Amino acid sequence: MLATPYYLIEEDKLRKNLALIRHIAREADVEFILAFKAFALWKTFPIFREYIAQTTASSPYEARLAYEEFGSKAHTYSPAYEEGSFDTILACSSHITFNSLSQYAHFYPHTKVHGGISCGLRVNPGYSEIETLLYNPCAPGSRFGVTPDQLGDSLPEGIRGFHCHNHCESSAEALVRSLEHLEAQFGRWFSQIEWLNLGGGHLVTRKDYNVSLLIDTLRGLHRRYPHLRILLEPGSAFAWQTGPLVASVVDIVENSGIKTALLNVSFTCHMPDCLEMPYHPAVRGARTLADDDAAGHETEACVYRLGGNSCLSGDFMGYWQFDAPLVPGDTIIFEDMIHYTTVKTNMFNGIPHPALAMLHSDGTVETLRTYTYEDYRDRMD
């Protein structure tokens, strides 16, 4: 048994997601590529390579990860490339997407000299169904992408593709509506491009996702534009529901009748999306009380807020109802904590980072990475 805290990715669940993604890719004649911004656990890449061939990067480090660890050059997009690191982008990328025409004008000559790179533009259709403003790339004043009024009748030299990203854990129905807007805004240039990247946020592995509608929609897109290579680059979908974060209760504190179980993990350090989205994660063996449902229940015997072990006052969430009172040493299991979590953790307050582990199909557990004081210290070296 591993000492808490640790993230545990489960191989069987990962392979189930990958198999579904491969099925969709074959049925719809599209390509899925892994977005590192949601999942970058490189020791699992040998499994991924059985199902997909390429990845997407948004920085020089991610581009290197694609080339050096995944074994193929990246589809790279960044809001703003920099002169000092663009050579790394060139060396590690097969596709480079520019966020603005000014970035294109500055860096496209570099790609011509380097050769062998397919260039694209990120386009902004001005439409998204994402309700949380923090995650909406098409909100008014967005810093992402070129709008139709910025393009002439002919695309700039060397532009071979469009990249559109306006989804976040979205449905197939949302994609249908998004394509209507995308084609209305940018369809007149589709005859001039070779590939169309529909970005991430397609949560195809969620149990209620309409896979048949997605396949039909993508087939329809192919019928309308048979020359286009279609790509999707979800991150969450690959690692959705593939494993938990396992923690322990360290103490129980009570104030004004409200009990908080203090854990050896932190929301702000180890589950930042819970505070940013925000959302209450599922806790195994407990009932999540939404804020409205919690009113009047806060002081009940088995109802607890869960608190992190950082000094940030807001490092807590609540409430959950357990079957029995919590005591120090109890295990708390936060479900679905692999995607967008392991890539966003930090060492604020010097709090120990959870280990990374994998439950293999044969039942064995492999520790992939443990973290030490030196990892914290050397970040400032």
Side-chain angles (χ1 to χ4, degrees):
M1 179 66 68
L2 298 177
T4 64
Y6 58 90
Y7 298 96
L8 183 68
I9 185 167
E10 300 179 39
E11 181 180 351
D12 285 348
K13 293 180 179 180
L14 178 62
R15 287 187 179 276
K16 181 180 178 181
N17 286 351
L18 287 163
L20 175 59
I21 287 169
R22 182 174 60 185
H23 166 75
I24 296 170
R26 290 173 174 174
E27 290 296 311
D29 190 21
V30 299
E31 185 176 354
F32 279 81
I33 57 181
L34 171 65
F36 288 154
K37 67 179 182 178
F39 183 88
L41 190 53
W42 60 271
K43 289 185 178 179
T44 66
F45 287 174
I47 296 173
F48 276 80
R49 286 194 293 267
E50 297 178 30
Y51 300 86
I52 65 170
Q54 289 188 297
T55 60
T56 180
S58 296
S59 65
Y61 288 175
E62 286 189 343
R64 284 189 60 183
L65 192 70
Y67 188 47
E68 296 177 11
E69 302 299 339
F70 200 88
S72 61
K73 292 188 175 183
H75 292 246
T76 303
Y77 159 79
S78 174
Y81 299 109
E82 296 183 84
E83 193 74 41
S85 58
F86 197 69
D87 283 348
T88 298
I89 298 293
L90 288 171
C92 299
S93 304
S94 61
H95 296 67
I96 295 178
T97 295
F98 297 104
N99 185 61
S100 66
L101 292 176
S102 57
Q103 281 266 295
Y104 158 81
H106 186 81
F107 286 106
Y108 175 64
H110 294 61
T111 69
K112 289 181 66 177
V113 172
H114 185 276
I117 291 177
S118 183
C119 294
L121 288 175
R122 177 160 179 168
V123 295
N124 188 331
Y127 174 84
S128 175
E129 299 183 16
I130 301 172
E131 296 180 356
T132 302
L133 191 60
L134 181 67
Y135 297 97
N136 185 354
C138 296
S142 172
R143 61 194 171 94
F144 294 129
V146 175
T147 53
D149 58 290
Q150 295 176 294
L151 296 175
D153 291 335
S154 297
L155 293 176
E157 175 192 351
I159 294 302
R160 297 289 179 260
F162 282 165
H163 178 169
C164 176
H165 175 66
N166 64 338
H167 286 203
C168 178
E169 297 187 359
S170 301
S171 65
E173 290 79 6
L175 177 60
V176 172
R177 294 185 288 270
S178 291
L179 283 176
E180 293 175 358
H181 288 266
L182 179 62
E183 292 180 60
Q185 295 290 320
F186 293 97
R188 62 190 174 112
W189 291 286
F190 281 8
S191 63
Q192 300 179 40
I193 60 175
E194 300 169 357
W195 51 267
L196 176 64
N197 186 328
L198 295 174
H202 311 278
L203 196 48
V204 301
T205 51
R206 187 174 58 199
K207 62 181 180 180
D208 61 347
Y209 192 93
N210 192 336
V211 172
S212 297
L213 176 61
L214 174 66
I215 293 172
D216 290 344
T217 300
L218 295 172
R219 286 174 174 172
L221 186 61
H222 272 303
R223 286 193 294 270
R224 295 192 296 279
Y225 310 100
H227 68 290
L228 286 182
R229 175 190 178 198
I230 308 298
L231 303 103
L232 296 88
E233 54 173 50
S236 295
F238 285 96
W240 184 257
Q241 297 287 350
T242 56
L245 171 59
V246 182
S248 295
V249 176
V250 177
D251 193 14
I252 307 293
V253 298
E254 186 168 347
N255 190 326
S256 300
I258 296 173
K259 295 178 290 297
T260 302
L262 297 179
L263 311 176
N264 61 351
V265 293
S266 160
F267 286 98
T268 191
C269 295
H270 309 136
M271 297 172 278
D273 270 3
C274 294
L275 300 180
E276 291 177 4
M277 181 65 81
Y279 76 98
H280 288 70
V283 173
R284 191 174 301 179
R287 183 168 71 94
T288 304
L289 299 179
D291 291 338
D292 292 341
D293 295 337
H297 294 277
E298 301 97 324
T299 60
E300 292 183 4
C302 297
V303 173
Y304 297 85
R305 294 192 313 191
L306 297 180
N309 56 351
S310 80
C311 293
L312 177 69
S313 297
D315 189 4
F316 69 89
M317 297 197 78
Y319 296 85
W320 284 265
Q321 187 172 44
F322 292 81
D323 292 334
L326 295 178
V327 297
D330 281 348
T331 298
I332 302 293
I333 300 176
F334 294 96
E335 304 285 11
D336 194 24
M337 280 294 161
I338 302 299
H339 61 90
Y340 271 111
T341 299
T342 53
V343 293
K344 295 179 73 172
T345 58
N346 61 74
M347 291 184 172
F348 169 64
N349 252 178
I351 293 172
H353 193 289
L356 303 175
M358 187 168 193
L359 174 60
H360 288 289
S361 299
D362 63 5
T364 61
V365 176
E366 178 186 4
T367 300
L368 303 177
R369 178 76 154 87
T370 57
Y371 295 85
T372 65
Y373 161 72
E374 287 74 21
D375 293 305
Y376 168 70
R377 182 198 65 190
D378 292 348
R379 292 179 72 249
M380 307 295 176
D381 191 359

